Amino acid sequence: MENIILDHTDRKILNLLQQDATLTVAQIADQVGLSQTPCWKRIKRFEREGLIKGRVTLLDRHQLGLGVIVIVTVKTADHSDQWLQTFAEGVSLIPEVVEFFRMSGDIDYLLKIVVRDISDYDRIYRKLTKIAKLSDVSSSFAMQEIKSTTVLPLPS
């Protein structure tokens, strides 16, 4: 996939949308100094080219009672495609896993899990260990969330 070249106005539009996807085209156009039609065309191009993958509503996890973030590292002795497919499919079925990465280095996989409390995490831990054979699972509990954002830095 080729990188999309963005001009200054493109970056302004995308930054506004990352901050608030409920803005109307008229509001965005006004803030970036375009009329509505060219602004709308740029947004449609971003969607067509896959730069805008979707629009979501961000929820407050604390108000939902999801007060604990757990970072889980996983090691496995089996690095086959079949093992990965089984593990990835199983992990994908657990809604509390909000991020899931295959890593380089000392660990094989990293998961970010959001749960109510430690006993809720224990329930998820037991699910994880049943999906596929794991050689090590290590859990770290976040003490304080210092930065959390969905806003991506836009290249110049």
Side-chain angles (χ1 to χ4, degrees), residues 4-19 28 32 34 42 45-46 51 151-156:
I4 296 173
I5 297 172
L6 302 172
D7 66 21
H8 180 71
T9 303
D10 291 337
R11 288 191 297 280
K12 285 170 68 174
I13 291 169
L14 291 168
N15 274 321
L16 287 168
L17 286 170
Q18 286 191 98
Q19 295 294 326
I28 296 168
V32 301
L34 289 176
R42 286 178 188 237
R45 177 176 57 91
F46 300 149
L51 183 59
V151 177
L152 296 176
L154 298 174
S156 301

Side-chain angles (χ1 to χ4, degrees), residues 82-121:
Q82 181 58 49
W83 184 94
L84 174 55
Q85 182 177 349
T86 300
F87 188 60
E89 287 173 0
V91 169
S92 296
L93 294 174
I94 303 172
E96 292 84 356
V97 177
V98 296
E99 296 183 42
F100 177 30
F101 304 94
R102 188 168 63 90
M103 305 297 290
S104 66
D106 294 337
I107 62 168
D108 297 314
Y109 299 91
L110 184 136
L111 294 78
K112 178 180 174 184
I113 300 175
V114 180
V115 291
R116 291 187 307 274
D117 51 34
I118 292 174
S119 64
D120 194 24
Y121 171 65

Side-chain angles (χ1 to χ4, degrees), residues 1-70:
M1 180 181 241
E2 229 177 272
N3 288 339
I4 296 173
I5 297 172
L6 302 172
D7 66 21
H8 180 71
T9 303
D10 291 337
R11 288 191 297 280
K12 285 170 68 174
I13 291 169
L14 291 168
N15 274 321
L16 287 168
L17 286 170
Q18 286 191 98
Q19 295 294 326
D20 185 356
T22 66
L23 291 172
T24 65
V25 172
Q27 291 170 316
I28 296 168
D30 184 54
Q31 290 188 50
V32 301
L34 289 176
S35 63
Q36 288 186 42
T37 300
C39 185
W40 177 82
K41 286 181 178 179
R42 286 178 188 237
I43 293 169
K44 288 298 168 192
R45 177 176 57 91
F46 300 149
E47 290 172 342
R48 185 177 60 252
E49 293 177 353
L51 183 59
I52 295 177
K53 294 175 23 174
R55 299 179 193 205
V56 299
T57 298
L58 302 175
L59 305 178
D60 185 315
R61 68 180 176 82
H62 294 287
Q63 290 192 39
L64 294 168
L66 300 171
V68 176
I69 296 173
V70 189

